[in-house]
Amino acid sequence: MKRTIFNNQLLPWLLLAPQLAITFIFFIWPAGQAIRQSFLREDAFGINSSFVGLRNFHGLLDSAQYLNSMKVTVIFAVSVTVVSMGVALLLAVAVDRMLRSSRVYTTLLVWPYAVAPAVAGILWWFIFNPTVGIMPYILDVIGYDWNHNRSKTDAMILVVIASAWKQISYNFLFFVAGLQAIPASLREAAAIDGAGPVRRFFDITFPLLSPTTFFLLVVNIVYAMFETFAVIDSTTGGGPAQATNIMVYKVYFDGFIGQNLGSSAAQSVILMMIVIALTVIQFRYVEKRVEY
Amino acid sequence: MFRLCTASAVALAASLTAAHAKTDIQWWHAMGGELGSKLEEIVQGFNESQDEYNVIPSYKGTYPETMTAAIAAFRAEEQPAIVQVFEVGTGTMMAAEGAIVPVHQLMEEQGANFDPSAFLPAVVGYYTDTDDNMLSMPFNSSTPILYYNKDVFEKAGLDPETPPKTWGEMEEFSNKIIESGAASCGFTTGWVSWIQVENFSAWHNQPIGTEQNGFGGPQARLSVNGPAQVKHWENLNRWADEGIFEYGGPVGGDDAPPKFYSQECAMIMNSSASRAGVIANATDFELGYGMLPYYDDVEGAPQNSIIGGATLWVLSGRPDEEYAGAAKFFEYLSSPEVQADWHQFSGYLPITQAAYDLGKEQGYYEENPGSEVGLQQITLNEPTENSKGLRFGNYVQIRGIIDEEFEQMLGGDKDAQGALDSLVERGNTLLEEFEAQSQ
């Protein structure tokens, strides 16, 4: 085989330059700024600023609210991922079987993905609003007093439903594609050998879906941790009593609303480290169990 | 040569036009909807009244968004000359020495017509330093009052013309209303932090912090866990359990007004500036207005209520002629006609005695019952150290803590004393941080 060799030393850098510039301007530079600011104590206007070392980090790890926010993030991210992937898989398996009408179902099921997070948030906020919503009214009939302004559990359920609902469509699309890629002959052979539908699903379909599942796992955790900001903001605003204040929302609230820039920057640095750690764990340990 | 001449002629012409052009003055504000249109109308009135200055109002979103936008702009050296900042941002603005031009200094330097004593003491008290110098220009100030449903009162066998005066009566009336089936809840409230903590304390002449509620300097700390406040939160918690009081959510309490409009709750405590909204929504029943209730066993109650809303701050670092224009604009804004018009349109308080008197002369308060309650309430007594207002740094975050601790109490995680103690402790951590920042 003949290999083409480019002798130009400059050309590869030139071709890479746009991507490198974007990475630098939108990632490395702001990240560097955040790290710098996390060591400073500064007033809102930036008139006085002093170097305080690790004080911002100490303050955070000492604060019950921050530890609470970490706990809330874990519960929230796991719940959103499990609910959105579980429901999506269920729907995908159901649609995969129906060959004729699946296109209509697919279109209908993909719709929610087109809805902006803030709009989705408002929608669910409205449905579950204790004063004017329809759900509390229905729940009242069966004897459950829904009030996400007072009950922490209710509030968590609300933000999980609102966030997961949007992501179901996305997961559904990937699961359907994954299911379609599994050769029918494998399942047919298993059926001839006498395996029932449940056995066929767990022994053949699910293992063959594992690359899709792994990909979605990464995407969903990232989604739950970082992109649900608008949902939280428009439904509960992190309340009641910090019960739904996930880490990303806390960064925004303390920095943007509270003007406590040092603490907010320290929080984003911690968040950045968590993301790096998560990525390493996922790709070193979880990915090994995935069969492509 | 010819070309050079043309070029210089063009340049000359350009500089001549520039000399004749009006000076633009940017004003960033947070008044959306009808209030925003009214504000623009007021600005237009000023722009047409003279030909030197052109004030340009820009809507920047909510109060926190407007303030943050101005701070970010200042850091980027693109700040507007005037920015509207809500009252809880006062501590932060005041501490930003070098970033702001105090209003008293601006008016003095520009030789503008300015008499601090013409303003209502309860309004300006909030925005003056310890030497009684005005730091920002009052524009839209409000105070919480009690709105009640006269129809429900009548159905419950109460006198529809008599709102409850004390918290004892609040409980008594509410029980009668619920027992008679006239409504399913006695009362609700907007703004737990502003109404049930800050105004509650001022109204009962109780401090919410040391150093004259923070006016004395950044070394002030919270002390809002006194016996009167603890008793009030205990009662609110009990009333919530008994169904007399319903909680309408954090910050402004978005769910509170619908509870009142739908006649689920017979009474609501909310801003005097929400009057227009209440009238527009309370179409099925007759409205009554009253002052905030008080505990008659607390000495000094009722004192006077304190204000909320926003003021106009002048930011430093703009060209001199913009400051001359800003001073002129403030003169215009505080004139009785402009103020009375704005006050009557919006439900905000008039900021000067003259604007108040003009409204009286026009017979406005007789024609519009309830429009005077807020004013009577803030002018009930000469403000004391406890009822002048409050000034703490990081107060936007502290208000968040107040809501959270209140919710913890309602959720049964803490009792009133525990919630208020924790509020003081957490708030003081932020105040220590703020004090260290501003040194």
Side-chain angles (χ1 to χ4, degrees), chain A residues 37 41-50 55-56 65 125 129-132 147-150 152 236 239-242 245 252-261 263, chain B residues 64-65 68 71 74-75 92-93 96-99 240-241 247-250 254-255 258-259 264 315 394 396-397 400 404 407-408 410-411 413 426 430 433 436-439:
Chain A
Q37 202 146 41
R41 179 158 54 198
E42 204 171 39
D43 69 318
F45 284 87
I47 297 167
N48 304 308
S49 92
S50 52
R55 261 198 63 138
N56 288 328
Q65 283 71 41
W125 174 85
N129 186 292
T131 313
V132 295
N147 190 344
H148 63 256
N149 282 333
R150 280 188 71 174
K152 294 178 173 182
T236 62
Q242 302 237 354
N245 198 357
Y252 157 78
F253 192 85
D254 290 358
F256 197 76
I257 304 291
Q259 292 295 335
N260 194 342
L261 298 175
S263 169
Chain B
E65 280 164 9
T68 327
I71 290 172
F74 183 85
R75 294 179 75 127
T92 302
M93 296 302 290
E97 271 174 57
D241 289 340
Y247 176 56
D254 287 342
D255 289 339
K259 286 180 200 287
E264 190 184 333
L315 296 176
N394 283 338
V396 183
Q397 275 177 300
E404 270 170 47
E407 286 171 347
Q408 298 255 11
L410 290 181
D413 296 344
R426 289 174 61 192
L430 287 175
E433 188 76 9
Q437 273 165 14
S438 39
Q439 268 161 8

Coordinates of all heavy atoms in Angstrom, one line a residue, chain A residues 37 41-50 55-56 65 125 129-132 147-150 152 236 239-242 245 252-261 263, chain B residues 64-65 68 71 74-75 92-93 96-99 240-241 247-250 254-255 258-259 264 315 394 396-397 400 404 407-408 410-411 413 426 430 433 436-439:
Chain A
Q37 N -9.5 32.6 40.0 CA -10.5 33.3 40.9 C -10.8 32.5 42.1 O -11.2 33.0 43.2 CB -11.7 33.6 40.1 CG -12.5 34.7 40.7 CD -13.2 35.5 39.6 OE1 -13.7 34.9 38.6 NE2 -13.3 36.8 39.7
R41 N -10.2 36.4 47.0 CA -11.4 36.9 47.6 C -11.6 38.3 47.1 O -10.8 39.1 47.1 CB -11.3 37.0 49.2 CG -12.6 37.6 49.8 CD -12.7 37.2 51.2 NE -11.5 37.5 52.0 CZ -11.2 37.0 53.1 NH1 -12.0 36.1 53.7 NH2 -10.1 37.4 53.8
E42 N -12.8 38.5 46.5 CA -13.0 39.7 45.7 C -14.4 40.2 45.9 O -15.3 39.5 46.1 CB -12.9 39.3 44.2 CG -12.5 40.5 43.3 CD -12.1 40.0 41.9 OE1 -12.8 39.1 41.4 OE2 -11.2 40.5 41.3
D43 N -14.5 41.6 46.0 CA -15.9 42.1 46.1 C -16.5 42.1 44.7 O -15.8 41.9 43.7 CB -15.8 43.5 46.7 CG -15.2 44.5 45.7 OD1 -14.2 44.2 45.1 OD2 -15.7 45.6 45.6
A44 N -17.8 42.4 44.7 CA -18.5 42.2 43.4 C -18.0 43.1 42.3 O -17.9 42.7 41.1 CB -20.0 42.6 43.6
F45 N -17.5 44.3 42.6 CA -17.1 45.2 41.6 C -15.6 45.0 41.1 O -15.1 45.6 40.2 CB -17.2 46.7 42.0 CG -18.7 47.1 42.0 CD1 -19.5 46.9 43.0 CD2 -19.1 47.8 40.8 CE1 -20.8 47.4 43.0 CE2 -20.5 48.2 40.8 CZ -21.3 48.0 41.8
G46 N -15.0 44.1 41.9 CA -13.6 43.8 41.5 C -12.6 44.9 41.9 O -11.6 45.1 41.3
I47 N -13.0 45.7 42.9 CA -12.1 46.8 43.4 C -11.1 46.3 44.3 O -9.9 46.5 44.2 CB -13.0 47.9 44.0 CG1 -13.9 48.5 43.0 CG2 -12.0 49.0 44.6 CD1 -15.0 49.4 43.6
N48 N -11.5 45.5 45.3 CA -10.5 44.9 46.2 C -10.5 43.4 46.0 O -11.5 42.8 45.9 CB -11.0 45.0 47.7 CG -11.3 46.5 48.1 OD1 -10.4 47.3 47.9 ND2 -12.4 46.8 48.6
S49 N -9.2 42.9 45.8 CA -9.1 41.5 45.7 C -7.9 41.1 46.4 O -6.8 41.7 46.3 CB -9.2 41.1 44.2 OG -8.0 40.9 43.7
S50 N -8.0 40.0 47.1 CA -6.8 39.5 47.8 C -6.7 38.0 47.7 O -7.7 37.3 47.5 CB -6.9 39.9 49.3 OG -8.1 39.4 49.8
R55 N -8.7 29.0 51.1 CA -9.8 29.4 52.0 C -11.2 29.1 51.4 O -12.1 28.6 52.1 CB -9.7 30.8 52.4 CG -9.1 31.0 53.8 CD -9.4 32.4 54.3 NE -10.8 32.5 54.5 CZ -11.4 33.1 55.5 NH1 -10.6 33.6 56.4 NH2 -12.7 33.2 55.6
N56 N -11.3 29.4 50.1 CA -12.6 29.2 49.5 C -13.0 27.8 49.5 O -14.2 27.4 49.7 CB -12.6 29.7 48.1 CG -12.6 31.3 48.0 OD1 -13.2 31.9 48.9 ND2 -12.0 31.8 47.0
Q65 N -24.3 23.1 53.7 CA -25.1 23.3 52.5 C -24.4 22.8 51.2 O -25.0 22.2 50.3 CB -25.3 24.8 52.2 CG -26.4 25.4 53.1 CD -25.9 25.5 54.6 OE1 -24.8 25.9 54.8 NE2 -26.8 25.1 55.5
W125 N -43.9 22.4 36.1 CA -44.2 23.2 37.2 C -45.7 23.5 37.2 O -46.4 23.5 38.3 CB -43.4 24.6 37.1 CG -43.8 25.6 38.2 CD1 -43.2 25.7 39.4 CD2 -44.7 26.6 38.0 NE1 -43.8 26.7 40.1 CE2 -44.7 27.3 39.3 CE3 -45.6 27.1 37.0 CZ2 -45.5 28.4 39.5 CZ3 -46.4 28.1 37.3 CH2 -46.4 28.8 38.5
N129 N -48.3 22.3 40.0 CA -48.4 23.5 40.9 C -49.5 23.2 42.0 O -50.6 22.9 41.6 CB -48.8 24.7 40.1 CG -48.8 25.9 41.0 OD1 -49.7 26.1 41.8 ND2 -47.9 26.8 40.8
P130 N -49.1 23.3 43.3 CA -50.1 23.0 44.3 C -51.4 23.8 44.3 O -52.4 23.4 44.8 CB -49.3 23.2 45.6 CG -47.9 23.4 45.3 CD -47.9 23.8 43.8
T131 N -51.3 25.0 43.8 CA -52.5 25.9 43.8 C -53.3 25.7 42.5 O -54.5 25.6 42.6 CB -52.0 27.4 43.9 OG1 -51.1 27.5 44.9 CG2 -53.2 28.3 44.2
V132 N -52.7 25.7 41.4 CA -53.5 25.7 40.1 C -53.3 24.4 39.3 O -54.0 24.2 38.3 CB -53.1 26.9 39.2 CG1 -53.6 28.2 39.9 CG2 -51.7 27.0 38.9
N147 N -47.3 18.9 47.7 CA -46.9 20.3 47.8 C -45.4 20.4 47.7 O -44.7 20.3 48.7 CB -47.4 20.9 49.1 CG -47.2 22.4 49.1 OD1 -46.4 23.0 48.3 ND2 -47.8 23.1 50.0
H148 N -44.8 20.7 46.5 CA -43.4 20.7 46.4 C -42.8 22.0 46.9 O -41.6 22.2 46.9 CB -43.0 20.5 44.9 CG -43.5 21.6 44.0 ND1 -44.5 21.4 43.1 CD2 -43.0 22.8 43.8 CE1 -44.7 22.4 42.4 NE2 -43.8 23.4 42.8
N149 N -43.6 22.9 47.4 CA -43.1 24.1 48.1 C -42.7 23.8 49.6 O -41.9 24.5 50.2 CB -44.1 25.2 48.2 CG -44.1 26.0 46.8 OD1 -43.2 26.0 46.1 ND2 -45.3 26.5 46.5
R150 N -43.3 22.7 50.1 CA -43.0 22.3 51.5 C -42.3 21.0 51.6 O -41.5 20.8 52.5 CB -44.3 22.3 52.3 CG -44.8 23.6 52.7 CD -46.0 23.5 53.7 NE -45.6 23.0 55.0 CZ -46.4 22.9 56.0 NH1 -47.7 23.3 55.9 NH2 -46.0 22.5 57.2
K152 N -39.7 18.2 50.6 CA -38.5 18.0 49.9 C -38.6 16.8 48.9 O -38.1 16.9 47.8 CB -37.4 17.7 50.8 CG -37.0 18.9 51.7 CD -35.9 18.5 52.7 CE -35.5 19.8 53.5 NZ -34.4 19.5 54.4
T236 N -38.2 24.7 40.8 CA -38.1 24.8 42.3 C -37.1 25.9 42.7 O -37.1 26.3 43.8 CB -37.6 23.5 42.9 OG1 -36.4 23.2 42.4 CG2 -38.6 22.4 42.6
G239 N -35.1 24.9 45.8 CA -35.8 24.7 47.1 C -36.6 23.5 47.1 O -36.6 22.7 46.1
P240 N -37.4 23.2 48.1 CA -37.4 24.0 49.3 C -36.3 23.6 50.2 O -35.9 22.4 50.3 CB -38.8 23.5 50.0 CG -39.0 22.2 49.4 CD -38.4 22.1 48.1
A241 N -35.8 24.6 50.9 CA -34.6 24.4 51.9 C -33.5 23.6 51.2 O -33.0 22.6 51.7 CB -35.1 23.7 53.1
Q242 N -33.1 24.0 50.0 CA -32.0 23.4 49.3 C -32.2 22.0 48.8 O -31.2 21.3 48.4 CB -30.7 23.5 50.2 CG -30.4 24.9 50.6 CD -29.0 25.3 50.2 OE1 -28.2 24.5 49.7 NE2 -28.6 26.5 50.4
N245 N -31.1 21.7 45.2 CA -30.1 22.6 44.8 C -28.9 21.8 44.3 O -27.9 21.5 45.1 CB -29.7 23.5 46.0 CG -28.9 24.8 45.5 OD1 -28.6 24.9 44.3 ND2 -28.6 25.6 46.4
Y252 N -24.2 28.8 40.0 CA -24.9 30.0 39.4 C -25.5 30.9 40.5 O -25.3 32.1 40.5 CB -26.1 29.5 38.5 CG -27.2 30.5 38.3 CD1 -27.0 31.5 37.4 CD2 -28.4 30.4 39.0 CE1 -28.1 32.4 37.2 CE2 -29.4 31.3 38.8 CZ -29.2 32.3 37.9 OH -30.2 33.2 37.7
F253 N -26.1 30.3 41.5 CA -26.8 31.1 42.5 C -25.8 31.9 43.3 O -26.0 33.1 43.5 CB -27.7 30.3 43.4 CG -28.6 31.1 44.2 CD1 -29.8 31.6 43.7 CD2 -28.2 31.5 45.5 CE1 -30.6 32.4 44.5 CE2 -29.1 32.3 46.3 CZ -30.3 32.7 45.8
D254 N -24.8 31.2 43.8 CA -23.8 31.9 44.7 C -23.0 32.9 43.9 O -22.6 34.0 44.4 CB -22.8 30.9 45.3 CG -23.5 30.0 46.4 OD1 -24.7 30.3 46.6 OD2 -22.9 29.1 46.9
G255 N -22.7 32.6 42.6 CA -21.8 33.5 41.9 C -22.6 34.6 41.2 O -22.3 35.8 41.4
F256 N -23.7 34.2 40.5 CA -24.4 35.2 39.7 C -25.4 36.0 40.5 O -25.4 37.2 40.4 CB -25.1 34.5 38.5 CG -25.5 35.4 37.4 CD1 -24.6 35.9 36.5 CD2 -26.8 35.8 37.3 CE1 -24.9 36.7 35.5 CE2 -27.2 36.7 36.2 CZ -26.3 37.1 35.3
I257 N -26.1 35.4 41.3 CA -27.1 36.1 42.1 C -26.5 36.6 43.4 O -26.7 37.8 43.8 CB -28.3 35.2 42.5 CG1 -29.0 34.6 41.3 CG2 -29.3 35.9 43.3 CD1 -29.7 35.6 40.4
G258 N -25.7 35.8 44.1 CA -25.1 36.2 45.4 C -23.9 37.0 45.2 O -23.4 37.6 46.2
Q259 N -23.3 37.1 44.0 CA -22.0 37.9 43.8 C -20.9 37.4 44.7 O -20.0 38.2 45.0 CB -22.3 39.4 44.1 CG -23.2 40.0 43.0 CD -22.6 40.0 41.7 OE1 -21.4 40.0 41.5 NE2 -23.4 40.0 40.6
N260 N -20.9 36.1 45.1 CA -19.8 35.6 45.9 C -18.9 34.8 44.9 O -19.0 33.6 44.8 CB -20.3 34.7 47.0 CG -19.3 34.4 48.0 OD1 -18.1 34.5 47.8 ND2 -19.7 33.9 49.1
L261 N -18.0 35.6 44.2 CA -17.3 35.0 43.1 C -16.3 34.0 43.5 O -16.1 33.0 42.8 CB -16.7 36.2 42.3 CG -17.7 37.2 41.7 CD1 -16.9 38.3 41.0 CD2 -18.6 36.5 40.7
S263 N -16.1 31.9 46.0 CA -16.7 30.6 46.4 C -17.3 29.9 45.1 O -17.1 28.7 44.9 CB -17.9 30.9 47.4 OG -18.6 29.7 47.6
Chain B
P64 N -32.1 41.3 40.2 CA -30.7 40.7 40.3 C -30.0 40.7 39.0 O -28.8 41.0 38.9 CB -31.0 39.3 40.8 CG -32.3 39.2 41.4 CD -33.1 40.3 40.7
E65 N -30.8 40.5 37.9 CA -30.1 40.5 36.6 C -29.6 41.9 36.2 O -28.5 42.1 35.7 CB -31.1 40.1 35.5 CG -31.3 38.5 35.4 CD -32.5 38.1 34.7 OE1 -33.2 38.9 34.1 OE2 -32.8 36.9 34.8
T68 N -26.5 42.6 38.4 CA -25.4 41.8 37.9 C -24.8 42.4 36.6 O -23.6 42.4 36.4 CB -25.7 40.4 37.7 OG1 -26.7 40.0 38.6 CG2 -24.6 39.5 37.9
I71 N -22.8 45.4 37.3 CA -21.5 45.1 37.9 C -20.5 44.5 36.8 O -19.4 44.9 36.7 CB -21.7 44.1 39.1 CG1 -22.4 44.8 40.2 CG2 -20.4 43.5 39.5 CD1 -22.8 43.9 41.4
F74 N -19.4 47.3 34.7 CA -18.4 48.1 35.4 C -17.0 47.4 35.3 O -16.0 48.1 35.0 CB -18.8 48.3 36.8 CG -17.8 49.2 37.6 CD1 -18.0 50.6 37.5 CD2 -16.8 48.7 38.3 CE1 -17.1 51.4 38.2 CE2 -15.9 49.5 39.0 CZ -16.1 50.9 38.9
R75 N -17.0 46.1 35.5 CA -15.7 45.4 35.4 C -15.1 45.5 34.0 O -13.9 45.4 33.8 CB -15.9 44.0 35.9 CG -16.3 43.9 37.3 CD -16.5 42.4 37.8 NE -15.2 41.8 37.9 CZ -14.8 41.1 39.0 NH1 -15.6 41.0 40.0 NH2 -13.7 40.5 39.0
T92 N -24.2 46.1 49.1 CA -23.1 45.8 48.2 C -22.7 47.1 47.4 O -21.5 47.4 47.2 CB -23.6 44.8 47.2 OG1 -24.0 43.6 47.9 CG2 -22.6 44.4 46.2
M93 N -23.7 47.9 47.0 CA -23.4 49.1 46.2 C -22.7 50.1 47.1 O -21.7 50.7 46.7 CB -24.7 49.7 45.8 CG -25.6 48.9 44.8 SD -24.7 48.5 43.3 CE -24.6 50.1 42.5
A96 N -19.1 49.6 47.6 CA -18.3 49.7 46.4 C -17.7 51.1 46.2 O -18.0 51.8 45.2 CB -19.1 49.3 45.2
E97 N -17.0 51.5 47.2 CA -16.4 52.9 47.1 C -15.5 53.0 45.9 O -14.8 52.1 45.7 CB -15.6 53.2 48.4 CG -16.5 53.8 49.5 CD -15.7 53.9 50.8 OE1 -14.6 54.6 50.7 OE2 -16.1 53.4 51.8
G98 N -15.7 54.0 45.2 CA -14.9 54.2 44.0 C -15.7 53.7 42.7 O -15.4 54.1 41.6
A99 N -16.7 52.9 43.0 CA -17.5 52.5 41.8 C -18.7 53.3 41.7 O -19.3 53.4 40.7 CB -17.9 51.0 42.0
A240 N -49.7 27.2 60.1 CA -49.6 26.4 58.9 C -50.1 25.0 59.1 O -50.8 24.4 58.3 CB -48.1 26.4 58.4
D241 N -49.7 24.4 60.3 CA -50.2 23.1 60.6 C -51.7 23.0 60.8 O -52.4 22.1 60.4 CB -49.5 22.6 61.9 CG -48.1 22.2 61.7 OD1 -47.7 22.1 60.5 OD2 -47.3 22.2 62.7
Y247 N -48.5 28.7 53.0 CA -47.2 29.2 52.5 C -47.2 29.3 51.0 O -47.7 28.3 50.3 CB -46.1 28.2 53.0 CG -44.7 28.6 52.5 CD1 -44.2 29.8 52.7 CD2 -43.9 27.6 51.8 CE1 -42.9 30.1 52.3 CE2 -42.6 27.9 51.4 CZ -42.1 29.2 51.6 OH -40.9 29.5 51.2
G248 N -46.8 30.4 50.4 CA -46.9 30.6 49.0 C -45.6 30.5 48.2 O -45.5 30.9 47.1
G249 N -44.5 29.9 48.9 CA -43.3 29.7 48.2 C -42.2 30.7 48.6 O -42.5 31.7 49.2
P250 N -41.0 30.4 48.1 CA -39.9 31.3 48.5 C -39.8 32.6 47.7 O -40.6 32.8 46.8 CB -38.6 30.4 48.2 CG -39.1 29.5 47.1 CD -40.5 29.3 47.3
D254 N -44.7 33.2 44.7 CA -45.5 33.2 43.5 C -46.9 32.6 43.7 O -47.8 32.9 43.0 CB -44.8 32.4 42.4 CG -43.6 33.2 41.9 OD1 -43.6 34.4 42.1 OD2 -42.7 32.6 41.2
D255 N -47.0 31.6 44.6 CA -48.3 30.9 44.7 C -49.3 31.7 45.7 O -50.4 31.3 45.8 CB -48.1 29.5 45.2 CG -47.5 28.6 44.2 OD1 -47.6 29.0 43.0 OD2 -46.9 27.6 44.5
P258 N -52.4 33.8 43.8 CA -53.5 33.0 43.3 C -54.4 32.5 44.4 O -55.6 32.3 44.2 CB -52.8 31.9 42.6 CG -51.5 32.4 42.2 CD -51.1 33.3 43.3
K259 N -53.8 32.1 45.6 CA -54.6 31.6 46.7 C -55.6 32.7 47.1 O -56.7 32.4 47.6 CB -53.7 31.3 47.9 CG -52.9 30.0 47.7 CD -52.1 29.8 49.0 CE -50.9 28.8 48.7 NZ -51.3 27.4 48.5
E264 N -59.4 31.2 48.1 CA -59.1 30.1 49.0 C -58.6 30.7 50.3 O -59.1 30.2 51.4 CB -58.0 29.3 48.3 CG -57.6 28.0 49.0 CD -56.4 27.4 48.3 OE1 -56.2 27.7 47.1 OE2 -55.7 26.6 49.0
L315 N -23.0 55.4 38.7 CA -21.8 54.7 38.7 C -20.7 55.7 38.2 O -20.9 56.6 37.4 CB -21.8 53.5 37.7 CG -22.8 52.4 38.1 CD1 -22.9 51.4 37.1 CD2 -22.4 51.8 39.5
N394 N -23.9 41.0 51.1 CA -24.3 39.7 50.7 C -25.8 39.4 51.0 O -26.2 38.3 51.3 CB -23.5 38.6 51.4 CG -22.1 38.5 50.7 OD1 -21.9 38.8 49.6 ND2 -21.1 38.0 51.5
V396 N -28.5 39.5 49.3 CA -29.3 38.7 48.4 C -29.2 37.2 48.8 O -30.2 36.5 48.8 CB -28.8 38.9 47.0 CG1 -29.7 38.1 46.0 CG2 -28.8 40.3 46.6
Q397 N -28.0 36.8 49.2 CA -27.9 35.4 49.6 C -28.5 35.2 51.0 O -29.1 34.1 51.3 CB -26.4 35.1 49.8 CG -25.8 34.6 48.5 CD -24.3 34.4 48.6 OE1 -23.5 35.3 49.0 NE2 -23.9 33.2 48.4
G400 N -32.0 34.4 50.7 CA -32.2 33.0 50.3 C -32.2 32.1 51.6 O -33.0 31.2 51.7
E404 N -35.0 29.5 53.1 CA -34.6 28.1 53.4 C -34.9 27.7 54.8 O -35.5 26.6 55.1 CB -33.1 27.9 53.2 CG -32.8 27.5 51.8 CD -31.3 27.6 51.7 OE1 -30.6 27.1 52.5 OE2 -30.8 28.2 50.7
E407 N -38.5 27.3 55.4 CA -39.0 26.0 54.8 C -38.6 24.8 55.7 O -39.4 23.9 55.8 CB -38.5 25.9 53.4 CG -39.2 26.8 52.4 CD -38.5 26.9 51.0 OE1 -37.4 26.4 50.9 OE2 -39.1 27.4 50.1
Q408 N -37.4 24.9 56.2 CA -37.0 23.8 57.1 C -37.9 23.7 58.3 O -38.3 22.6 58.7 CB -35.6 24.1 57.7 CG -34.5 24.2 56.7 CD -33.6 23.0 56.7 OE1 -33.9 22.0 57.3 NE2 -32.5 23.1 56.0
L410 N -41.1 24.8 58.4 CA -42.4 24.3 58.0 C -42.4 22.8 57.7 O -43.3 22.0 57.9 CB -42.9 25.0 56.7 CG -43.3 26.5 56.8 CD1 -43.7 27.0 55.5 CD2 -44.4 26.6 57.8
G411 N -41.2 22.3 57.2 CA -41.1 20.9 56.9 C -40.9 20.0 58.1 O -40.8 18.8 58.0
D413 N -38.2 20.0 60.1 CA -36.9 19.7 60.5 C -36.3 20.4 61.7 O -35.4 20.0 62.3 CB -35.9 19.9 59.3 CG -36.3 19.1 58.1 OD1 -37.0 18.1 58.3 OD2 -35.9 19.4 56.9
R426 N -25.6 31.2 59.9 CA -25.3 31.1 58.4 C -25.1 32.5 57.8 O -24.2 32.8 57.0 CB -26.3 30.3 57.7 CG -26.2 28.8 58.0 CD -27.4 28.1 57.3 NE -27.3 28.2 55.8 CZ -28.3 27.9 55.0 NH1 -29.5 27.4 55.5 NH2 -28.2 28.0 53.7
L430 N -21.7 34.8 56.1 CA -21.6 35.6 54.9 C -21.2 37.0 55.2 O -20.5 37.7 54.4 CB -23.0 35.6 54.2 CG -23.4 34.3 53.5 CD1 -24.8 34.4 53.0 CD2 -22.4 34.1 52.3
E433 N -17.5 37.2 55.7 CA -16.9 37.1 54.4 C -17.0 38.5 53.7 O -16.0 39.0 53.2 CB -17.7 36.1 53.6 CG -17.2 35.8 52.2 CD -16.0 34.8 52.4 OE1 -15.7 34.3 53.5 OE2 -15.3 34.6 51.4
A436 N -14.6 41.0 55.3 CA -13.2 40.8 54.9 C -13.0 41.2 53.4 O -11.9 41.8 53.1 CB -12.9 39.3 55.0
Q437 N -14.0 41.0 52.6 CA -13.9 41.5 51.2 C -13.7 43.0 51.0 O -13.1 43.5 50.2 CB -15.2 41.1 50.4 CG -15.2 39.7 49.8 CD -16.6 39.3 49.4 OE1 -17.5 40.2 49.3 NE2 -16.8 38.1 49.2
S438 N -14.4 43.7 51.9 CA -14.5 45.1 51.6 C -13.4 45.9 52.3 O -13.4 47.1 52.4 CB -15.9 45.7 52.1 OG -16.3 45.1 53.2
Q439 N -12.4 45.1 52.9 CA -11.3 45.8 53.5 C -10.1 45.9 52.6 O -9.9 45.1 51.7 CB -10.8 45.0 54.8 CG -11.6 45.6 56.0 CD -11.5 44.6 57.1 OE1 -10.9 43.6 57.1 NE2 -12.3 44.9 58.2

